[in-house]
Amino acid sequence: QVQLVEFGGGLVQAGGSLRLSCAASGRTFSIYSMAWFRQGPGKEREFVAAIEWSGSDTYYAASMKGRFTISRDNAKNTVYLQMNSLKPEDTAVYYCAAKRTFTGVTATNDYEYWGQGTQVTVSS
C-alpha cells in the first residue's frame, strides 16, 4: 500500500503561483511514477503532469506545459507541482496519484493509489 497526502492548496489571485506537495508513505516511493490530476467544478478529472520514478522524464498536458512544473524528491518521498501564471480556469481539486509504469500516464484508471485532493482556487 502507498498512502498519499497532498498539501499546499489555497486561494490565489490570477497571475499568482502556488506549489503543491504530495507526501507518500508505505511501500517504496521511488519505484512509482507519480502524477497530478485535477477536477474542476462540474468537470471530469483531467491529467495535469506526470514524472517517472527517477525524475528524468516528465509529461505535461498541453494546456499546462510552460506554466506548471512537476518534480520529485525521492529522499523525502515527495512529489511537487509548481504552478505559475495561474488562471481562474485552473480552479480545481488537485490530486496526486501513483502507478508502477510510465506508460499511459494520462489515464486515470491506470493509477493504483490516489490522495484525497487539495483545493486550489484562483480568483480573477
Side-chain angles (χ1 to χ4, degrees):
Q1 288 287 335
V2 174
Q3 292 79 42
L4 303 173
V5 180
E6 300 94 338
F7 301 94
L11 175 64
V12 63
Q13 288 189 330
S17 298
L18 277 177
R19 189 175 83 154
L20 305 182
S21 302
C22 172
S25 60
R27 288 194 171 182
T28 306
F29 171 74
S30 62
I31 69 174
Y32 289 91
S33 294
M34 300 296 296
W36 289 94
F37 288 78
R38 70 184 187 184
Q39 188 165 15
K43 297 181 180 179
E44 298 285 321
R45 191 169 297 189
E46 66 173 340
F47 170 78
V48 174
I51 187 166
E52 61 90 53
W53 71 271
S54 72
S56 64
D57 200 2
T58 57
Y59 186 75
Y60 294 90
S63 61
M64 282 65 135
K65 195 169 186 179
R67 296 192 300 126
F68 292 5
T69 302
I70 189 170
S71 61
R72 67 190 294 163
D73 185 339
N74 287 344
K76 295 183 179 180
N77 286 358
T78 302
V79 63
Y80 305 97
L81 183 69
Q82 177 67 43
M83 305 186 293
N84 299 327
S85 302
L86 283 163
K87 306 173 183 179
E89 51 263 44
D90 293 319
T91 294
V93 178
Y94 284 71
Y95 299 89
C96 68
K99 61 182 292 186
R100 292 180 182 269
T101 65
F102 197 63
T103 55
V105 296
T106 64
T108 57
N109 291 343
D110 284 354
Y111 285 82
E112 299 173 59
Y113 304 104
W114 290 85
Q116 83 290 345
T118 185
Q119 176 71 47
V120 172
T121 303
V122 184
S123 63
S124 57

